[in-house]
């Protein structure tokens, strides 16, 4: 497991893997909010619009279809809901990957355990950076602050965060969606955007 220090107060991932079995990027977030409020934020389309990288439409039952669209960097696609336990667990596939969101609550505080199971380990750095940007938008939204989504000009820049994950030893090397000519490396900012050319990896 690669433990990581908090990145400038942003939600920060760690990386875990078991040879030949899985590679995952994991976040743990805590909110001083009721369980029901956080569950709504991670499952309801109008709430997801504030922080998720795509527009989401989902049939919230096991085996249901989940659709992803309107991401400026990747074409529309769909997955399958693999598990849904109201107020506790929401899991679904997205391409070769699976995302698992688990919620627990105690003493008025709700914990979100956010797990991205990677289809390819070399996507770890770009994925960790992408979700760091997205989950910071979730934090803002649940705090009652303006959250315009990970592709907005007010979101944290993706590229410097990505480079920090690479420096920490997260696997990398996969292409970056939206930048077909640029490999997934840490050679510097992509041309045309000093703040980071891609907001979600």
């Amino acid at each position: 497991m690669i433990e990581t220090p908090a990145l400038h107060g942003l939600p920060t991932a760690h990386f875990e893997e078991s040879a030949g079995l899985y590679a995952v990027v994991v976040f743990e977030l805590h909110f001083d909010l009721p369980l029901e409020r956080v569950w709504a934020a991670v499952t309801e389309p109008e709430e997801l619009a504030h922080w998720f990288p795509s527009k989401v439409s989902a049939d919230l039952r096991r085996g249901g279809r989940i659709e992803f669209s309107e991401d400026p960097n990747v074409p529309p696609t769909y997955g399958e809901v693999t598990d849904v336990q109201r107020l506790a667990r929401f899991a679904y596939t997205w391409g070769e990957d699976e995302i698992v969101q688990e919620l627990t609550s105690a003493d008025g505080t709700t914990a979100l355990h956010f797990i991205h199971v990677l289809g390819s380990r070399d996507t770890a750095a770009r994925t960790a950076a992408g979700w760091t940007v997205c989950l910071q938008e979730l934090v803002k939204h649940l705090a009652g602050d303006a959250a315009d989504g990970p592709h907005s000009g007010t979101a944290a820049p993706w590229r410097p965060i990505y480079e920090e994950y690479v420096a920490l030893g997260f696997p990398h090397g996969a292409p970056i969606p939206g930048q077909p000519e640029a490999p997934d490396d840490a050679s510097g900012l992509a041309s045309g955007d000093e703040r980071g050319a891609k907001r979600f990896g």
Side-chain angles (χ1 to χ4, degrees), residues 15-182:
F15 174 75
E16 302 176 7
E17 67 180 326
S18 175
L21 294 177
Y22 66 82
V24 297
V25 168
V26 182
F27 292 83
E28 185 83 34
L29 288 82
H30 297 268
F31 301 96
D32 292 327
L33 292 168
L35 182 61
E36 292 82 358
R37 178 69 189 96
V38 181
W39 174 257
V42 301
T43 59
E44 296 181 3
E46 61 272 22
E47 297 280 343
L48 290 165
H50 291 279
W51 68 274
F52 205 82
S54 303
K55 180 179 179 180
V56 177
S57 175
D59 179 1
L60 288 181
R61 60 184 178 84
R62 185 175 296 180
R65 182 182 175 101
I66 182 167
E67 299 180 353
F68 310 98
S69 62
E70 300 185 17
D71 185 320
N73 298 298
V74 296
T77 187
Y78 65 91
E80 179 180 321
V81 175
T82 55
D83 193 18
V84 57
Q85 300 172 36
R86 187 176 182 276
L87 302 180
R89 194 170 194 268
F90 179 37
Y92 51 90
T93 60
W94 192 354
E96 297 181 345
D97 299 359
E98 183 174 19
I99 295 171
V100 180
Q101 299 172 130
E102 297 175 332
L103 299 178
T104 57
S105 182
D107 301 323
T109 297
T110 299
L112 169 62
H113 195 53
F114 187 99
I115 306 163
H116 189 129
V117 183
L118 304 169
S120 300
R121 74 185 298 275
D122 64 358
T123 63
R126 79 176 196 198
T127 299
W131 286 125
T132 293
V133 175
C134 292
L135 292 172
Q136 178 61 15
E137 292 297 289
L138 173 63
V139 169
K140 288 160 59 177
H141 177 55
L142 287 176
D145 299 328
D148 298 321
H151 304 295
S152 69
T154 56
W158 176 86
R159 173 64 70 169
I161 297 169
Y162 162 72
E163 291 176 354
E164 292 199 49
Y165 279 118
V166 171
L168 288 165
F170 278 53
H172 61 287
I176 298 172
Q179 298 180 43
E181 76 290 347

